[in-house]
Amino acid sequence: MSDAAQDFRRPPRLSLDAASPPATLVAFDTFSPCAGRVRFGWPAAAEAAGIPLSRTVSDAGGRTHHVLRLEGLPADTAVAYRAEADDGAASPVRVFRTPPAPGADVSSKFVFHGDMQGGLATPSRVVFPYIEDLVRTMRAEKPLAVFQVGDMADEAYRTHGAGAAAWDDFFRLCRDEIAETYFLPALGNHDCPPVPEEADEPEPRHFDRRAGLFHELFALPEPLGPGEAVYALDVGPVRLVVLNTEADIASQNGFLARELQRGAFAPHAKALVLMEHRPPFSSVHYGGNEEVKKNWLPIFKRYEGSLVLSGHVHAYQRFSPFGPEGPVCLVTGGSGGYLFDEPSAAAERPDFATSCYHCVAADVTASAISCRAVRSDGWVFDRFEIPLARRVRVSPVFPEAGGTATVQFTLPEDAAEEADMQLLWEADGGGKTRTRRMERPLGRTQE
């Protein structure tokens, strides 16, 4: 698609809401206040040629920022759409794939990346070809969703201009990616504007995470309130929890535990993924974030989380701080900012590390997350697999007082064929537990 075809102020971008089943959200921005609409239909061929767009959703008009909800879409289906506005703006016909039905036994593909920073590596923009190659590589993966670990633009340091202008390169470079896959970002420190009293300083030290354009550019659920950049939702087989390292770390512990419980016990959730910007571990430049390590990692481990995604460090690093039992901590900050060198010695040594422009492609099945780290030229330089073997499911996840719930569990392989089991649960949120011993011995798998 050529730049001339983009008649919108900012091109369409896809996301999901947190409902069950989720609705697809299409956001776009026009130059003048007007009504916007999305025409859509299915089934769609890969190139969307000749697909009738027989359904339409519209807004009331009088606005420049448009968010339209596409509801009732069939699961695991290619859907074609076209965004339009009454001021004459229109996008090309795009195609995306909807999430599979909850619990469906299918493989879903995801892409992880971060720290594009608008491609700020040098003023001469010599890094742009690498980013363009990387975006083509990500698009070729045809993922269900992209998880972006933050620092998409450079609003903080105004390298590419102030305010909205700081995001122009991001939208130019990623216009295909954000229009054809569900794009779910975390807030990075470069995505926040400097506070007003430091706005004209070349190296501001304080940033306003609530005033940034991040919150109006991306249509995301924010259950803790507008501007918090903290959310959670199911994306196919993945329960994704996104936290904000630019805010108080400890204040998000309760939200993290609640959402991890929702995913850990839900029958349809195969993998738990935590995404935030500043990594708990790093052998490069900044080092790991001690507050993330102290507050969030123990909670994530307790709920048998699968993968922690971070950026901030412009390199690729893979850590296994808890051994084969997980979770894996992955730093994927190589999509456009200047690269950091890997030191010869550091206190925290990764399982694998390198510096290059890259993304990570992941296939999620019922039994494993299979990951490939892919360089901008398509070369796969690292592979790893995370087993998914959580042993307990509860339905409903949060039973009502006096109600009933179904508990599904699998005993460890080394457990006796018959064993006594205790059920422990928290009472009134006060940290106290009650215990009930099952009245009969249980076999290896019970419901």
Side-chain angles (χ1 to χ4, degrees):
M1 184 183 74
S2 67
D3 288 330
Q6 292 188 53
D7 294 328
F8 290 112
R9 182 184 181 194
R10 284 185 285 268
R13 51 251 185 221
L14 294 179
S15 62
L16 286 165
D17 68 8
S20 181
T24 294
L25 306 180
V26 181
F28 55 94
D29 299 274
T30 51
F31 286 98
S32 59
C34 61
R37 60 188 168 273
V38 174
R39 303 186 187 277
F40 61 103
W42 66 84
E47 69 283 359
I51 302 301
L53 306 180
S54 57
R55 297 167 173 80
T56 304
V57 292
S58 307
D59 59 30
R63 65 190 69 180
T64 59
H65 180 60
H66 308 265
V67 180
L68 283 301
R69 296 171 56 88
L70 279 54
E71 298 181 297
L73 303 180
D76 198 20
T77 300
V79 176
Y81 79 98
R82 175 183 174 91
E84 302 173 348
D86 280 355
D87 65 357
S91 74
V93 175
R94 297 285 195 173
V95 177
F96 66 94
R97 193 160 199 89
T98 57
D105 187 18
V106 298
S107 173
S108 295
K109 181 169 287 185
F110 299 84
V111 164
F112 316 139
H113 73 101
D115 291 82
M116 181 171 286
Q117 297 182 1
L120 63 80
T122 66
S124 64
R125 300 291 199 269
V126 296
V127 75
F128 274 11
Y130 294 101
I131 305 176
E132 291 165 347
D133 286 345
L134 181 61
V135 171
R136 281 191 288 269
T137 297
M138 291 188 285
R139 191 182 182 197
E141 293 286 342
K142 299 186 182 302
L144 170 65
V146 171
F147 297 167
Q148 218 281 357
V149 298
D151 281 5
M152 291 158 282
D154 193 34
E155 195 177 349
Y157 295 95
R158 304 173 63 161
T159 304
H160 295 190
W167 290 82
D168 288 347
D169 284 328
F170 165 77
F171 283 111
R172 181 180 68 81
L173 291 162
C174 296
R175 61 184 181 269
D176 297 328
E177 175 187 1
I178 62 180
E180 296 172 353
T181 59
Y182 296 111
F183 188 80
L184 301 168
L187 179 69
N189 57 300
H190 282 259
D191 300 325
C192 308
V195 297
E197 57 267 29
E198 295 187 20
D200 295 325
E201 296 182 11
E203 294 291 335
R205 295 171 297 164
H206 302 96
F207 305 100
D208 188 348
R209 65 179 176 85
R210 297 178 68 92
L213 283 165
F214 175 92
H215 307 288
E216 57 186 82
L217 294 177
F218 303 104
L220 302 167
E222 292 199 74
L224 296 187
E228 296 295 342
V230 174
Y231 61 96
L233 71 168
D234 293 323
V235 191
V238 172
R239 181 67 181 173
L240 174 68
V241 182
V242 181
L243 300 183
N244 183 0
T245 56
E246 310 316 299
D248 181 71
I249 299 293
S251 68
Q252 300 168 61
N253 290 355
F255 175 82
L256 174 62
R258 182 173 68 251
E259 296 302 329
L260 287 177
Q261 179 177 347
R262 192 186 304 274
F265 295 160
H268 63 273
K270 309 302 182 187
L272 300 181
V273 175
L274 167 61
M275 182 167 69
E276 40 80 18
H277 183 59
R278 298 175 189 261
F281 299 96
S282 174
S283 62
V284 173
H285 202 58
Y286 304 118
N289 187 286
E290 293 299 323
E291 287 297 304
V292 171
K293 190 183 305 181
K294 179 178 70 176
N295 285 276
W296 295 345
L297 274 194
I299 299 173
F300 198 61
K301 177 68 168 66
R302 184 187 314 149
Y303 283 96
E304 296 186 280
S306 312
L307 178 63
V308 178
L309 291 174
S310 307
H312 196 54
V313 172
H314 302 176
Y316 173 87
Q317 298 181 318
R318 172 165 56 85
F319 294 87
S320 301
F322 301 101
E325 295 300 316
V328 170
C329 295
L330 188 67
V331 178
T332 175
S335 57
Y338 64 90
L339 296 174
F340 296 166
D341 293 330
E342 177 70 14
S344 57
E348 298 172 340
R349 296 306 302 165
D351 299 331
F352 187 98
T354 189
S355 288
C356 62
Y357 294 113
H358 73 277
C359 65
V360 177
D363 290 286
V364 180
T365 66
S367 60
I369 305 176
S370 300
C371 295
R372 294 175 290 113
V374 188
R375 205 168 62 181
S376 58
D377 61 1
W379 181 59
V380 177
F381 60 87
D382 185 32
R383 298 177 186 268
F384 64 96
E385 186 170 278
I386 304 171
L388 301 177
R390 287 180 287 120
R391 297 172 181 143
V392 178
R393 296 289 191 276
V394 179
S395 181
V397 177
F398 296 105
E400 294 183 2
T404 61
T406 299
V407 180
Q408 297 173 301
F409 61 90
T410 302
L411 294 175
E413 290 298 324
D414 57 355
E417 284 297 326
E418 292 187 348
D420 290 334
M421 172 164 282
Q422 292 181 338
L423 296 182
L424 291 84
W425 66 93
E426 184 175 306
D428 303 324
K432 298 180 180 179
T433 59
R434 298 178 180 176
T435 303
R436 176 185 176 187
R437 183 175 294 276
M438 303 296 286
E439 296 180 355
R440 60 186 178 87
L442 302 171
R444 187 162 298 280
T445 301
Q446 292 287 334
E447 180 175 326

